[in-house]
Amino acid sequence: MNTELHAILRLLQDDDPETVGLVKEQLAGRNADFLRELQRIRPTDDERVSRHVSDIAARIEARAAEAALAQLCANFTPASDLENAAFLLARVLQPGVDEADARASLDQWGARLAHLLSGTDGALERVMFLGDFLGHEVKLRGNTGDYYHPANSMLPLVIESRVGIPITLALVFILVGRRAGMIIEGVNFPGHFLARHEGVLFDPFDGGRILSKADCRDILERQSLAPQPSFFAAADSVAVFVRLLANLLYIYQTAEEHDQSERVSRWIRLLTVR
């Protein structure tokens, strides 16, 4: 073990929280090559050091993810991969988030849905099976009790908790449906993001409930809006990601979290100013 790494490990074993905090802050600015070396030589029987190294790793990975996210936003197109963008956003804002388990859940749910859909006849029946599976069996639901919590906008956390807001729940429906062979599009409806499959409009926030024209009018009337064709247009990947970020921006601005607000604002500008 070289002298620097030996000294770092000793400092991470220090009993003074301030000392450890300063060391971790400095190490979080290192690159991934240094991190791999540190992880290789850390004592596996020292839980404190393992915990500190894991935290440093999460910070380094979040910094790399933030650079990747800025590049992605600058080059995002209507056909870009929304799934990877949503996971990348979570890695930036929630360092150390368990992405592998979330993706595995999507795969498992997609496989289960594909089995349920075998033999179904028509879009309406497929949407009914989709809503019954994700809304009742998986128990995805709207977080009405803590609607404006940032976790509701983080795809892996929504998958883990099974609660979210309209746009993230719609995204789960879209991604699970895709794995089962269903083409589901997002609908950038004012005040309440919706989803649609072959003309059948439904609400992922309400367990996949199929919506009538009257239901849509009710949503609009609560906002003093009249129906317009543009409200029912399919949302491409750019529109979905911008709306997801806009929700986060509102949350951070309301909470006066200025650093987070500026980060999200920068990503929105990269997406929308071309």
Side-chain angles (χ1 to χ4, degrees):
M1 182 188 305
N2 68 43
T3 303
E4 181 191 20
L5 289 172
H6 181 72
I8 287 170
L9 288 176
R10 292 195 62 180
L11 287 169
L12 291 176
Q13 293 170 322
D14 198 288
D15 292 327
D16 179 17
E18 186 174 347
T19 298
V20 172
L22 289 172
V23 172
K24 289 171 67 175
E25 191 67 32
Q26 291 179 349
L27 295 181
R30 298 290 191 95
N31 60 32
D33 290 338
F34 169 81
L35 176 63
R36 282 190 287 270
E37 184 67 13
L38 183 62
Q39 290 175 318
R40 187 180 66 80
I41 54 84
R42 66 179 172 179
T44 56
D45 59 343
D46 191 320
E47 292 185 6
R48 287 187 306 169
V49 172
S50 292
R51 189 168 59 252
H52 293 323
V53 171
S54 295
D55 185 40
I56 294 164
R59 296 191 200 182
I60 291 174
E61 289 165 1
R63 186 162 46 84
E66 182 156 11
L69 180 59
Q71 184 175 17
L72 180 147
C73 289
N75 298 286
F76 214 66
T77 71
S80 290
D81 189 339
L82 193 55
E83 178 175 340
N84 284 334
F87 277 116
L88 184 57
L89 175 66
R91 290 206 301 273
V92 174
L93 296 177
Q94 197 73 31
V97 68
D98 193 340
E99 182 178 327
D101 277 0
R103 288 189 185 271
S105 293
L106 290 176
D107 291 341
Q108 292 165 7
W109 296 344
R112 171 66 175 154
L113 179 63
H115 175 73
L116 293 172
L117 292 178
S118 60
T120 54
D121 182 24
L124 181 61
E125 188 176 6
R126 285 192 291 273
V127 172
M128 291 174 66
F129 270 91
L130 172 69
D132 186 64
F133 172 58
L134 290 180
H136 295 93
E137 186 173 329
V138 175
K139 299 188 185 304
L140 289 175
R141 62 199 185 278
N143 192 347
T144 56
D146 197 7
Y147 189 93
Y148 293 105
H149 195 290
N152 294 326
S153 296
M154 313 288 176
L155 180 60
L157 299 183
V158 170
I159 292 169
E160 179 185 6
S161 67
R162 314 290 174 90
V163 296
I165 54 177
I167 193 164
T168 46
L169 292 172
L171 185 53
V172 175
F173 273 67
I174 289 168
L175 298 178
V176 173
R178 178 188 299 170
R179 285 163 166 78
M182 282 182 73
I183 298 175
I184 300 171
E185 57 191 15
V187 178
N188 215 358
F189 204 69
H192 196 93
F193 199 86
L194 302 174
R196 182 169 52 217
H197 170 63
E198 294 185 7
V200 180
L201 194 66
F202 60 95
D203 184 3
F205 189 77
D206 193 13
R209 180 172 68 95
I210 295 171
L211 298 175
S212 65
K213 291 182 179 179
D215 293 326
C216 295
R217 282 197 301 270
D218 288 343
I219 296 173
L220 293 172
E221 285 176 1
R222 290 197 290 269
Q223 304 171 76
S224 300
L225 294 172
Q228 296 182 27
S230 61
F231 294 164
F232 298 88
D236 62 28
S237 292
V238 173
V240 174
F241 203 41
V242 167
R243 182 147 175 178
L244 179 59
L245 291 173
N247 285 336
L248 275 170
L249 180 60
Y250 175 81
I251 291 167
Y252 290 139
Q253 287 179 334
T254 301
E256 297 186 354
E257 295 187 32
H258 303 299
D259 289 344
Q260 294 290 61
S261 297
E262 180 51 40
R263 294 169 89 190
V264 177
S265 294
R266 183 169 65 252
W267 299 329
I268 292 174
R269 288 195 299 271
L270 288 170
L271 282 162
T272 56
V273 180
R274 302 298 172 101

